Amino acid sequence: MLTHVLTLTDTTPSASSSTASRRQRIGARIGDGAALLLPGGALQTRSNDTEQRFRPDSDFFYLTGLAEPGAVLLLRPGREPEFTLFVQPRDPKAEIWSGRRIGPEGAIHRYGADAAHPLGELAERLPALLDGVESVYLPFHHAPDLHLALLAALAHLHRRDRLGEQRPECLRDARALLGEDRIFKDAAALTTLRRAVEISAEGHLAAIRGVRPGLSERDIEAIIEHRFRRLGASGPGYGTIVGGGDNATILHYVANDAPLIAGQLLLVDAGAELDCFTGDITRTYPISGRFSPEQRDLYQIVLAANEAGIREARVGSDIDAIHGVCLRILAEGLLDLHLVEGGVDEVIEQQRYLPYYMHRTSHWLGADVHDAGHYTLGRRPRPLQPGIVLTVEPALYIPADDPRAPPGLRGCGIRIEDDVLIRAEGPEVLSAGVPKAVAELEAILGSDPLL
Ligand SMILES: [Mn+2]
């Protein structure tokens, strides 16, 4: 039985047409004469001699579909071999301890490499593979081992200049290269991202249905992440934030271990990761199932900003414009609540809203929760184009010790975040599966007494 299972695993084709067409696209972009060198990522120490679960480098996985620590990709458009992988060699004893490896053979048969070698041969083989290449794309950040290997190869080729060998003389940033491809979601990326956002939405729905006083932020985190894994995601795509009461005013709160108190709001920011694409959704709702009138008024301000921001997410606009639209509504709301003074333009120009809204409204979304791709082109905000996916996440945070705030709103943090696909015909809200209207939320809050 065991042999049978292993045989099946070994012959399952993992190389997909989407990664092949991405390599082709990138190859055409860099042209013959260039090469791309990418690290697959390494295991990260958690403590002492234990490691975090492996998560491959986003750029590497985007082009290979391979999730194995230590791998290296070399792409040389127009040369033979064009697509080379360096991977850990098969080692039955090591694999008993740390998991199966594809080995060079698997790299060829399952991942479509034209050539594959054990990782240990990288330094020795790199000079010949780069001989005659004019420029090399590699990540400028977070790849120190690869930098050393490349510099050694360049030095080797330099020494052999008089023998006719030619070293690359130009280094370029692979992150920028890949970012400009990844920012426009291709069909496969969009299918995966849609599913990741759907699973994220299912996790939020389970939390909304399960929430009630007496539980802990821990329970909500567990409910959400159970749904994520149960529905096929690898887990959360970033640290899940479950903040009750004034924990919601801590932007990167991840302790998630406080009791849920009746009368308080709960802010949940969570996204599921599937095949290295992640959702990113935030919802805020009352722990006991009903907003107080004050909480509801504050919530409606943020919701109006969220909806207006989404309407602004259209071709030709940009994320500064989305931020501006949201900011105006938030500033008007803060004026209505007497938390700030002056005219709305004054509040915005003098940034009087900052104590209550201190972050930006949007970021790109995809393989990384803060995804790749330039935010500005020529120092101007990048015009939105079809295929870009971004978040719209306006918020208001009322500090717990704010003497200007009505007591019922002190320590309230409200953020409403959706994932939006830019399309020619207008924005598509990928995260529409999670309700955000007050009545829709109140209709299902706490309806599932599972725990
Ligand atoms: Mn976000």
Side-chain angles (χ1 to χ4, degrees):
M1 278 308 282
L2 191 61
T3 318
H4 181 59
V5 171
L6 282 174
T7 310
L8 268 180
T9 309
D10 280 351
T11 53
T12 307
S14 301
S16 71
S17 58
S18 59
T19 52
S21 58
R22 286 168 187 164
R23 289 193 301 272
Q24 208 159 34
R25 222 158 50 214
I26 290 292
R29 205 185 266 261
I30 65 177
D32 298 358
L36 168 65
L37 198 53
L38 277 182
L43 285 170
Q44 307 290 322
T45 301
R46 182 179 184 281
S47 77
N48 191 13
D49 57 354
T50 60
E51 284 124 1
Q52 307 277 7
R53 179 185 291 163
F54 179 65
R55 199 281 192 184
D57 176 88
S58 295
D59 287 332
F60 179 90
F61 188 82
Y62 184 73
L63 292 183
T64 64
L66 170 60
E68 210 176 271
V72 171
L73 164 148
L74 178 64
L75 192 67
R76 305 184 312 156
R79 285 164 203 263
E80 291 282 327
E82 192 164 284
F83 170 32
T84 304
L85 279 173
F86 291 87
V87 296
Q88 293 186 308
R90 296 296 311 266
D91 179 342
K93 276 186 191 157
E95 288 177 49
I96 287 171
W97 289 90
S98 51
R100 297 186 183 93
R101 299 174 177 182
I102 56 161
E105 246 182 57
I108 291 170
H109 293 122
R110 292 169 52 196
Y111 292 88
D114 301 318
H117 310 286
L119 192 59
E121 294 178 16
L122 177 68
E124 166 194 334
R125 290 184 179 270
L126 206 47
L129 286 164
L130 294 179
D131 182 11
V133 167
E134 289 154 22
S135 52
V136 176
Y137 288 79
L138 87 166
F140 284 1
H141 304 291
H142 306 307
D145 294 350
L146 207 55
H147 289 190
L148 291 176
L150 176 66
L151 289 175
L154 295 182
H156 183 97
L157 289 170
H158 176 62
R159 284 192 299 273
R160 298 173 65 85
D161 186 88
R162 76 192 78 167
L163 302 174
E165 296 187 6
Q166 288 179 331
R167 68 189 182 280
E169 293 183 2
C170 178
L171 299 185
R172 305 189 63 169
D173 190 12
R175 296 288 183 227
L177 169 75
L178 267 293
E180 289 308 291
D181 195 81
R182 283 169 47 189
I183 192 168
F184 301 108
K185 272 56 189 175
D186 60 29
L190 204 49
T191 301
T192 310
L193 184 53
R194 275 181 195 282
R195 183 64 190 145
V197 176
E198 262 173 36
I199 296 173
S200 307
E202 288 296 328
H204 277 272
L205 274 170
I208 292 167
R209 293 186 179 120
V211 73
R212 63 179 183 278
L215 296 185
S216 160
E217 293 167 354
R218 295 163 181 271
D219 295 305
I220 301 301
E221 178 186 325
I223 288 172
I224 289 174
E225 295 188 3
H226 171 264
R227 290 308 290 162
F228 287 179
R229 299 261 316 155
R230 173 101 182 142
L231 294 173
S234 61
Y238 55 92
T240 298
I241 296 171
V242 182
D246 65 356
N247 289 335
T249 64
I250 302 167
L251 298 182
H252 293 152
Y253 176 77
V254 289
N256 304 347
D257 58 1
L260 300 182
I261 311 288
Q264 294 187 337
L265 297 181
L266 178 67
L267 182 153
V268 177
D269 184 344
E273 184 179 71
L274 177 74
D275 289 339
C276 290
F277 279 91
T278 188
D280 182 7
I281 304 176
T282 308
R283 289 293 184 266
T284 309
Y285 37 85
I287 287 164
S288 39
R290 304 282 293 189
F291 286 91
S292 75
E294 276 173 323
Q295 289 169 343
R296 195 180 53 227
D297 290 348
L298 188 69
Y299 185 88
Q300 295 292 12
I301 297 166
V302 180
L303 182 59
N306 164 281
E307 289 172 340
I310 290 171
R311 281 194 297 276
E312 187 61 31
R314 47 185 172 73
V315 174
S317 188
D318 57 64
I319 60 173
D320 279 12
I322 295 173
H323 185 60
V325 160
C326 291
L327 209 48
R328 182 156 290 269
I329 293 173
L330 298 175
E332 282 165 355
L334 289 170
L335 280 165
D336 289 345
L337 290 168
H338 305 292
L339 291 173
V340 294
E341 283 169 4
V344 65
D345 291 320
E346 224 179 320
V347 171
I348 292 171
E349 277 156 31
Q350 298 182 11
Q351 300 190 315
R352 292 189 197 155
Y353 57 83
L354 268 186
Y356 307 102
Y357 186 48
M358 60 298 283
H359 58 73
R360 301 281 300 175
T361 304
S362 300
H363 56 79
W364 311 140
L365 182 69
D368 298 310
V369 63
H370 298 153
D371 206 32
H374 293 303
Y375 280 91
T376 56
L377 297 176
R379 294 201 176 260
R380 307 181 72 110
R382 170 177 214 139
L384 297 178
Q385 286 177 267
I388 290 180
V389 177
L390 49 75
T391 65
V392 177
E393 47 180 312
L396 284 175
Y397 310 96
I398 316 294
D401 58 357
D402 186 349
R404 308 178 67 126
L409 288 184
R410 291 180 195 170
C412 256
I414 296 175
R415 180 163 72 248
I416 307 173
E417 175 177 33
D418 282 299
D419 303 338
V420 181
L421 167 66
I422 307 296
R423 300 176 308 172
E425 59 268 41
E428 179 185 344
V429 182
L430 303 179
S431 48
V434 204
K436 56 186 173 183
V438 166
E440 285 177 54
L441 280 171
E442 289 186 344
I444 60 168
L445 273 160
S447 60
D448 181 3
L450 245 184
L451 287 180

